[in-house]
Amino acid sequence: MPDQVSIADATTIIGGADAALYASNQIKVTAQDTVLITGAAGGVGTYLIQLLVNEGAVVIAVGHSSNHQFLTDIGAKYVINYDEPFAPQLMRVPIVDKVIDTVGSKTLLDGLSDYYEGLTIFSLSLTDYRPMKLNQSFSFGNGGIGLSGYHQLLLELASGRLKAYVHSQFDFNEVIEAQQMLKDTHVQGRVLLNY
């Protein structure tokens, strides 16, 4: 592990940055893409925003209204509040061609699928989904990035091209409190347990 990367930051790679890199690789993001991310303020979403922006894509983040500024600060060009009506917000952003779903909400995907025409949907959470239109595709993925992928992520953290977002840290004995906070709070990044 590079000296510039703390143990807490490195911990966010597992189940966070690695899933984000996997998703980004699976949908082959380019600078011509406009990508919408569900669950953008979470441990996977915060890394997805950064990875996609680094590729030159336009990123639209979906999150709670309390996280609007946070998501913009990470690099999202546009933010859609999931606690407000979707359609009027979609009218104010560029046309989305790809969706990366970290939440697994069929209702949310139905709204996006109904609104757009051609759409590629990739989910890290929902194993089975049927888009509403024939010119749309869906796939689920849960794979690895290999040692080279982990090495890449560590180097990008060390160089500052990526930033780890840790919302809070709890002692391992406080696991119930940590889970309760995840249920009750709109977290920004990861919640870690210290051993």
Side-chain angles (χ1 to χ4, degrees):
M1 193 169 72
D3 292 338
Q4 306 92 323
V5 180
S6 71
I7 291 173
D9 287 355
T11 302
T12 68
I13 291 176
I14 307 298
D18 55 358
L21 181 60
Y22 176 78
S24 176
N25 290 342
Q26 291 300 302
I27 65 166
K28 297 175 178 48
V29 174
T30 70
Q32 285 71 48
D33 288 322
T34 299
V35 185
L36 184 141
I37 302 168
T38 68
V44 177
T46 54
Y47 275 114
L48 266 171
I49 292 170
Q50 296 173 80
L51 288 168
L52 299 177
V53 168
N54 288 347
E55 292 296 325
V58 173
V59 174
I60 301 170
V62 177
H64 189 267
S65 56
S66 64
N67 288 330
H68 184 107
Q69 189 60 53
F70 171 70
L71 294 168
T72 303
D73 291 345
I74 294 173
K77 185 82 171 169
Y78 304 92
V79 178
I80 291 178
N81 301 318
Y82 71 72
D83 50 336
E84 296 177 12
F86 246 46
Q89 295 180 82
L90 293 173
M91 292 171 59
R92 296 189 296 264
V93 300
I95 295 173
V96 172
D97 58 320
K98 294 179 178 174
V99 172
I100 300 178
D101 169 48
T102 72
V103 176
S105 167
K106 183 182 179 306
T107 303
L108 193 149
L109 293 181
D110 280 348
L112 294 169
S113 179
D114 185 47
Y115 186 84
Y116 290 110
E117 288 304 318
L119 195 62
T120 299
I121 303 169
F122 180 83
S123 182
L124 291 164
S125 301
L126 197 62
T127 58
D128 187 37
Y129 175 74
R130 178 169 289 170
M132 302 181 105
K133 297 175 182 165
L134 293 175
N135 58 347
Q136 298 173 339
S137 66
F138 171 82
S139 60
F140 164 78
N142 182 12
I145 58 170
L147 289 177
S148 63
Y150 287 103
H151 183 70
Q152 172 193 339
L153 292 170
L154 283 170
L155 290 177
E156 290 192 32
L157 279 171
S159 71
R161 280 182 47 87
L162 289 178
K163 180 177 177 358
Y165 291 92
V166 176
H167 186 272
S168 55
Q169 297 184 47
F170 289 84
D171 184 76
F172 180 74
N173 295 328
E174 300 172 318
V175 66
I176 294 172
E177 292 88 344
Q179 289 176 330
Q180 192 62 45
M181 191 196 70
L182 283 169
K183 286 175 59 178
D184 297 341
T185 308
H186 300 288
V187 298
Q188 299 175 342
R190 298 294 294 271
V191 174
L192 302 179
L193 295 176
N194 292 319
Y195 291 87

